[in-house]
Amino acid sequence: MSARAKVAVLISGRGSNMATLLEAAQRPDYPAEIVLVASNRPSALGLARAAEAGIATEAVDHRAYPDRAAFERALDAALRRHGVEFLVLAGFMRVLTPWFVEAWAGRMLNIHPSLLPLFRGTHTHAQALAAGVRVHGCTVHFVVPELDAGPIVAQAAVPVLPEDDEDSLSARVLVQEHRLYPAALALVASGRARLDGGRVVFAPGSAAAEGALVAPALG
């Protein structure tokens, strides 16, 4: 592995979490380098944002392939051409097959807008409001074949306010996503957090091991 881990960001849209990762990676002490932004949608706005930042981009249009397997093999080949060591999913709207997930096991992260294992899938903010929970948030986890079920690296919490609707709650969670994802990626890229036997193991003395990344924002 290189001194700075080589990371690809997979997107399908505007890439707001991608932008925060790119910003973090500009710091000389950050342990990861974003070497590629790839999308299954050639029109994804995040591709243009990445190109403007001087990052290599790839559009692997899933509609151009006869099936999911062919698309994933083309995507995998693109990642390997760029020497990618870790993947982060940032609004990548494709369910990945076990073949792809296992090929990148322990090296692929996702961010989900809920405090997993609560509220898997989509419309998480509506689910939280309907359930009447008082605390909501976001989770960075390793990707496994089961959707939104991977071992958790870090979480951040926000209050659910009486006047909240989906938009206001989503906006508050997104602020925490932008803080949490770069921190969690730094842990994994530096080796301070790793997947071992289906659980996340933290290096002694790391911020996450001390609970600092389970970061409530309840004030």
Side-chain angles (χ1 to χ4, degrees), residues 46-71:
L47 290 176
R49 296 176 70 178
E52 289 171 3
I55 306 298
T57 62
E58 291 264 5
V60 184
D61 190 345
H62 65 275
R63 297 168 297 183
Y65 296 88
D67 53 35
R68 192 177 299 271
F71 160 71

Side-chain angles (χ1 to χ4, degrees), residues 155-167:
Q155 293 178 302
V158 302
V160 180
L161 303 178
E163 64 272 18
D164 268 331
D165 59 16
E166 285 186 67
D167 290 340

